[in-house]
């Protein structure tokens, strides 16, 4: 079954949910163009999520996807937190950040009962998760309105695990992908595969439809993934320059320039490996460091540096999330970009 049948889509194109750089506007544009628009909720309060879902409901009758992180929050570790702040202290001094005002605590909330209840009011047709799946009782709440349920797999083992728990489709997230790695069974990064290696192996291992993600930037890339057995694609980075995205000025500039040729997996911004453009904090503190508190606790101490630097027009301390392939990034409406991705597909 192809995802256009599965989700009642005209085009087998899913716009990747991208927390922090988009809201309902991008999702609406892609859904109305015949793809599947996604609303990322990892950084939204429940009230903000409600407002965004209401906006989507007003603007489209097409299917859309709502996305959540489902990590287990770590226990606070004061010693690690102190060591992290000590490592960042020279930057607080340089940027005149008052360390008494540096917040602590999580920046990204996992899927919860409260969220599930609010979501039920809207009964979105597709719900996707990153970092595995929520606990069985929470997932049952979601299944009550019979949405299609998706989650990311970064290995064949994760794909089998998700299939055994009844997901409707699996997003095979290759190592080229921008943003957080979705791994959840093992954090051994040597097991992470590129999209070209990962997709056919997952296709062979499971019966549910597989959606390829990571490094796909044009119609040829889409066609290649379909040829490898994917039922559809999920594309993130290429949408980041669209006017409907809320990508910051420093992030847009980095994506459009030479800097975007250098990406790395880094844990300095959140505590979990995620792919972003190499900037000063990655070069000097990371890209991977044992000092960063566990996900998502690393964020709080870095945020004031980001704010102070961005106020001066600098992206030195900003998470410039990006995949390895920025060749598809274009400052054109998301609907036009979606149609470009689907150009020449047999069904069109
Ligand atoms: C800026 C950015 C933010 C992201 N945030 C999320 C997110 O909130 N939830 C999620 O499931 N995936 C997130 N991802 C990962 C995407 O779902 C997807 O795996 C990735 O964008 C595909 O690779 P590409 O960026 O090369 O197209 C993010 C990716 C980017 C680039």
């Amino acid at each position: 079954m192809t995802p256009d049948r599965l989700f009642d889509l005209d085009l087998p194109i899913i716009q990747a949910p991208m927390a922090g750089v988009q809201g309902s506007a991008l999702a609406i544009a892609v859904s109305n163009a015949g793809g599947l628009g996604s609303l990322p909720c990892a950084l939204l309060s429940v009230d903000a999520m409600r407002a965004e879902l209401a906006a989507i409901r007003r603007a489209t009758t097409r299917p859309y996807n709502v996305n959540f992180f489902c990590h287990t929050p770590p226990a606070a570790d004061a010693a690690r937190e102190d060591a992290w702040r000590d490592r960042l202290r020279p930057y607080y001094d340089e940027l005149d950040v008052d360390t008494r005002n540096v917040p602590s605590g999580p920046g990204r909330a996992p899927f919860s009962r409260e969220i599930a209840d609010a979501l039920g009011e809207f009964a979105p047709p597709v719900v996707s998760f990153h970092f595995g799946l929520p606990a069985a009782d929470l997932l049952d709440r979601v299944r009550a309105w019979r949405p299609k349920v998706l989650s990311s797999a970064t290995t064949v083992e994760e794909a089998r695990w998700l299939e055994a728990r009844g997901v409707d489709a699996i997003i095979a997230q290759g190592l080229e992908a921008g943003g957080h790695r979705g791994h959840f069974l093992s954090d051994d990064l040597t097991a992470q595969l590129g999209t070209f290696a990962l997709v056919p192996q997952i296709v062979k291992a499971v019966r549910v439809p597989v959606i390829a993600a990571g490094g796909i930037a044009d119609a040829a890339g889409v066609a290649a993934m379909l040829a490898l057995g994917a039922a559809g694609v999920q594309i993130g980075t290429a949408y980041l320059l669209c006017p409907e995205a809320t990508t910051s000025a420093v992030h847009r500039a980095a994506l459009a320039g030479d800097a975007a040729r250098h990406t790395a997996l880094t844990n300095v911004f959140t505590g979990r490996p995620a792919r972003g453009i190499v900037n000063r904090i990655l070069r000097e503190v990371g890209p991977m460091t044992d000092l960063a508190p566990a996900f998502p606790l690393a964020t709080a101490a870095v945020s004031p540096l980001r704010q102070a630097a961005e106020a001066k027009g600098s992206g030195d301390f900003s998470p410039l999330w990006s995949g390895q392939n920025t060749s598809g990034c274009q400052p054109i409406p998301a609907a036009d970009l979606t149609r470009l991705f689907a150009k020449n597909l047999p069904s069109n």
Side-chain angles (χ1 to χ4, degrees):
M1 196 189 304
T2 58
D4 31 335
R5 287 237 189 95
L6 184 65
F7 307 136
D8 194 22
L9 303 174
D10 295 336
L11 310 174
I13 312 283
I14 301 177
Q15 165 254 313
M18 296 186 284
V21 297
Q22 59 133 146
S24 54
L26 185 63
I28 290 164
V30 174
S31 285
N32 278 337
L36 187 71
S38 299
L39 178 72
C41 295
L43 289 168
L44 299 184
S45 66
V46 173
D47 283 346
M49 178 186 84
R50 275 205 180 92
E52 291 283 54
L53 289 171
I56 292 176
R57 277 267 194 87
R58 280 194 300 273
T60 186
T61 53
R62 307 291 302 161
Y64 61 94
N65 169 38
V66 189
N67 169 262
F68 301 91
F69 286 177
C70 49
H71 53 287
T72 306
D77 180 338
R80 208 162 160 196
E81 186 70 38
D82 286 349
W84 186 224
R85 282 157 192 250
D86 282 349
R87 178 65 189 88
L88 299 177
R89 196 163 312 276
Y91 304 116
Y92 294 140
D93 292 345
E94 182 186 320
L95 289 163
D96 279 331
V97 171
D98 184 345
T99 45
R100 286 169 306 182
N101 296 335
V102 174
S104 60
R108 288 163 173 82
F111 193 68
S112 65
R113 205 178 158 132
E114 190 193 3
I115 296 173
D117 288 347
L119 200 58
E121 297 163 22
F122 296 87
V126 183
V127 179
S128 74
F129 295 102
H130 214 37
F131 317 142
L133 288 170
D137 60 324
L138 272 182
L139 195 54
D140 285 346
R141 278 174 179 259
V142 172
R143 290 207 164 108
W145 67 85
R146 303 197 178 284
K148 300 298 178 194
V149 174
L150 276 55
S151 183
S152 304
T154 66
T155 61
V156 169
E157 291 70 28
E158 287 175 351
R160 289 206 177 102
W161 189 97
L162 291 172
E163 181 179 49
R165 282 153 189 81
V167 299
D168 297 287
I170 289 169
I171 302 152
Q173 190 198 32
L175 197 45
E176 299 93 322
H180 283 96
R181 303 295 310 143
H183 59 263
F184 56 92
L185 290 183
S186 160
D187 54 15
D188 177 356
L189 293 177
T190 64
Q192 299 284 295
L193 303 176
T195 309
F196 193 87
L198 182 66
V199 169
Q201 293 193 64
I202 291 186
V203 166
K204 208 185 265 183
V206 300
R207 286 164 182 228
V208 291
V210 175
I211 294 155
I216 304 162
D218 54 24
V222 175
M225 287 304 131
L226 299 185
L228 286 179
V233 298
Q234 177 161 299
I235 299 176
T237 298
Y239 282 104
L240 287 171
L241 295 186
C242 291
E244 297 91 341
T246 57
T247 316
S248 68
V250 292
H251 197 171
R252 283 178 192 264
L255 286 160
D258 284 346
R261 283 190 279 142
H262 305 271
T263 66
L265 291 186
T266 183
N267 65 348
V268 299
F269 295 111
T270 65
R272 250 191 97 104
R275 186 174 295 284
I277 295 171
V278 175
N279 59 0
R280 185 174 166 200
I281 189 171
L282 262 72
R283 270 193 303 272
E284 296 181 7
V285 181
M288 297 293 290
T289 169
D290 291 340
L291 290 174
F295 181 88
L297 298 175
T299 309
V302 180
S303 293
L305 294 173
R306 172 188 183 172
Q307 279 161 22
E310 285 191 7
K312 295 178 176 170
S314 159
D316 281 353
F317 296 92
S318 304
L320 304 172
W321 302 139
S322 171
Q324 288 179 332
N325 191 354
T326 52
S327 66
C329 294
Q330 296 187 61
I332 61 172
D336 295 345
L337 196 57
T338 304
R339 284 189 280 268
L340 281 180
F341 295 144
K343 217 171 145 190
N344 302 331
L345 287 183
S347 54
N348 293 288

